[in-house]
Amino acid sequence: MDDIKHSFLSGARDSIPILLGMVPFGLICGAVSVGAGMSLWGALGFTWAINAGASQLAALQLLEHHASLAVVILTGLIINLRFFMYSASIAPHLKTMPLPGRALLGFILSDQAYALSIARFSRDDRGEVNKPFYFFGAALAVWISYSIGAVFGASVGTFIPPAWDLGFAVPLTFIAVVVPAIKDRPTALAALAAGAVAYFADGLPYNLGLMAGAMTGILLGYAAERRLARE
């Protein structure tokens, strides 16, 4: 029990640097949902059901432009394809958790919790942790922070002056996750390639630039790892 508690608290504690960015991120999603005409509970239900800010904002943008439901759903699925890769990558670390527990962890999976946990599991300079509960602590802390922001945004977001431009918090949360994970040439190449492609492909419809950047980073990072292994 002490091992479980220690691991859970370690995951929550290690997530602290990114939590301050998650609150504004959730606030934006909640405020935009209400701004699109949803009720308070509709906005919160929409946020918690999707549980992925990037696809939520893309879906809302498409709905505001009267896109068909099929296009909205397909766009969300494309943007969220990365979670299939996250799940396949982290599943071996969570195999000791019973199926209901793994289902809960899958629901609160996020970019930040995944990157933080995988980085921790690959380190050997600190003691072992109970991996499922470390991930649980990190993911739950991120989800709670995001939810607090969403509740606040859905409640009073329409009164927040546009001049505040809280959108700055979104890239900050990902920067806080990505930078510590860059530890060698393959990861540096993957990060640079993904960022460059996503930037130059930003004008693609349905946020496909994000997916293009992700796939480019994955492929180049994998190729660089294979080449490094042969050297």
Side-chain angles (χ1 to χ4, degrees):
M1 184 61 68
D2 288 341
D3 173 59
I4 290 176
K5 180 180 178 180
H6 170 73
S7 299
F8 178 85
L9 293 177
S10 293
R13 182 175 60 250
D14 290 348
S15 70
I16 290 175
I18 63 177
L19 296 186
L20 292 179
M22 292 308 301
V23 174
F25 195 2
L27 189 151
I28 293 169
C29 292
V32 171
S33 298
V34 171
M38 295 184 182
S39 65
L40 170 62
W41 288 109
L44 294 179
F46 189 63
T47 299
W48 289 328
I50 296 179
N51 200 33
S55 58
Q56 179 180 347
L57 294 176
L60 288 169
Q61 183 179 29
L62 290 171
L63 289 172
E64 287 184 339
H65 287 80
H66 307 290
S68 69
L69 183 60
V71 170
V72 174
I73 294 175
L74 180 60
T75 300
L77 289 175
I78 291 174
I79 295 174
N80 283 349
L81 279 176
R82 67 191 189 278
F83 288 107
F84 285 97
M85 295 182 285
Y86 294 167
S87 299
S89 172
I90 205 168
H93 300 288
L94 308 179
K95 58 186 177 181
T96 58
M97 178 73 74
L99 180 58
R102 294 200 304 273
L104 172 61
L105 296 182
F107 176 73
I108 59 176
L109 174 65
S110 63
D111 301 278
Q112 295 80 6
Y114 166 79
L116 187 67
S117 298
I118 286 295
R120 175 63 182 84
F121 299 161
S122 65
R123 293 171 58 184
D124 55 10
D125 59 337
R126 296 173 62 181
E128 288 293 323
V129 294
N130 184 307
K131 293 180 179 180
F133 281 91
Y134 179 92
F135 175 77
F136 186 29
L140 185 62
V142 170
W143 185 84
I144 289 175
S145 299
Y146 178 72
S147 295
I148 289 174
V151 171
F152 185 71
S155 301
V156 300
T158 54
F159 300 101
I160 297 176
W164 287 17
D165 192 19
L166 295 173
F168 77 92
V170 177
L172 286 181
T173 62
F174 290 98
I175 291 173
V177 169
V178 170
V179 172
I182 300 175
K183 57 183 183 297
D184 51 27
R185 279 188 297 169
T187 53
L189 177 61
L192 289 173
V197 171
Y199 175 79
F200 288 108
D202 183 59
L204 291 177
Y206 311 132
N207 280 329
L208 290 177
L210 176 64
M211 183 54 61
M215 295 304 298
T216 301
I218 291 169
L219 293 175
L220 287 183
Y222 176 74
E225 281 190 343
R226 291 290 299 274
R227 181 175 180 179
L228 185 63
R230 291 195 299 265
E231 291 180 354

